[in-house]
Amino acid sequence: MKKILLLIVICLQVCVLINHASAQPKSNYYCPPCGDCDKIAYKAAGKCPHCGMTLVKQTAAEHDKNTKRYKVAFYLQDGVEVLDFAGPMEVFAYAGFDIFTVSATKEQIKSQGILKVTPDYSIDDAPHADILVFFGGNAGVAANNPKVIDWVKKQTNIDYYFSVCTGAFILGKAGLLDNLTATTFHLSIEDLKREVPKAKVLKNVRYVDNGKVITTAGISAGIDGALHLVEKVRGIEAAKQVAAYMEYDKWVPQQGLVIAKSK
């Protein structure tokens, strides 16, 4: 009799384990967001045969959430610093974001007087973006243009505002740094304090994350801030994959100041 009861108990435990396992979301291995290959599900760990990135174990729901293709508007003014926008552009592109460029007009601009760039849109016809990004290098051209600042203020349903270097002055003129903590290019700290007196401006920090508004220090710090934003929306492993793919071994996660983790 005891043996029969023991067998019944074992069978019941096995049934519970089977039901529990079947109730768990099924996980597969996916390529981090980077293009069409990140839609393929693999059964085993390894590297993506298309792009070479290390596959990540996720449920289908987790994968769908982490592969949202954010629409990112890069506002570029004449004289914009090359690495200010090129660094974050590399990061966001590898993370699977859709990037387009915007300027005051569609006229060709020159980055640092060297690189010719033709904007995709002007502020008159630019589509909606989930993320708005502004950069240094002659940023006063945009910050002191009432039409540009009015355009920034009118944007709705923005997930994140992001600035590199003196691009923070554009956010400041639009009132987006009021009562927040921010940073900018090290030689422009005092100027930003004077121009945006309602903001707490810090020096010696790579980036400051207020939840919805992220500002970074100058030039190369924009790469760190962009990787932080990828980590914020995709997770640390995705950000590490992007940094490794770029061979950017100088990134130190959490090196910036995070005021608020969520928007």
Side-chain angles (χ1 to χ4, degrees), residues 157-248:
N157 299 318
I158 302 298
D159 289 338
Y160 300 102
Y161 295 94
F162 186 95
S163 72
V164 180
C165 195
T166 53
F169 285 77
I170 303 171
L171 293 180
K173 281 294 183 74
L176 293 166
L177 298 183
D178 288 354
N179 304 313
L180 297 182
T181 303
T183 193
T184 187
F185 181 53
H186 65 279
L187 295 179
S188 300
I189 294 290
E190 296 305 318
D191 290 337
L192 188 61
K193 287 181 179 179
R194 183 175 59 255
E195 292 289 330
V196 192
K198 292 183 179 181
K200 180 181 180 181
V201 183
L202 302 181
K203 60 181 180 179
N204 299 323
V205 62
R206 296 293 281 175
Y207 61 81
V208 179
D209 179 0
N210 291 276
K212 187 171 182 174
V213 179
I214 301 171
T215 56
T216 82
I219 311 175
S220 65
I223 299 175
D224 296 50
L227 286 167
H228 169 70
L229 181 52
V230 171
E231 176 188 353
K232 190 180 177 79
V233 300
R234 296 273 199 255
I236 183 64
E237 290 305 318
K240 286 181 177 179
Q241 291 276 358
V242 172
Y245 193 73
M246 293 172 58
E247 298 191 13
Y248 182 64

Side-chain angles (χ1 to χ4, degrees), residues 10 24 31 41 67 80 86 103 112 116 118 124 128 137 141-142 145-146 154 156 158 170 173 177 199 213 230 251:
I10 292 173
Q24 297 302 305
C31 175
T67 53
V80 65
S103 195
Q112 294 180 264
K116 296 178 181 179
T118 302
D124 295 321
H128 172 265
V141 169
N145 185 332
K154 287 181 177 178
T156 58
I158 302 298
I170 303 171
K173 281 294 183 74
L177 298 183
V213 179
V230 171
W251 181 50

Side-chain angles (χ1 to χ4, degrees), residues 95-159:
F97 296 179
D98 293 326
I99 304 164
F100 58 89
T101 56
V102 185
S103 195
T105 69
K106 290 183 180 179
E107 292 182 12
Q108 190 177 78
I109 64 171
K110 275 190 177 181
S111 176
Q112 294 180 264
I114 304 168
L115 178 66
K116 296 178 181 179
V117 180
T118 302
D120 296 315
Y121 301 96
S122 74
I123 57 176
D124 295 321
D125 63 1
H128 172 265
D130 302 306
I131 303 172
L132 283 182
V133 192
F134 302 92
F135 307 96
N138 206 24
V141 169
N144 296 314
N145 185 332
K147 291 184 178 179
V148 172
I149 299 305
D150 186 54
W151 172 76
V152 176
K153 289 180 177 179
K154 287 181 177 178
Q155 301 309 297
T156 58
N157 299 318
I158 302 298
D159 289 338

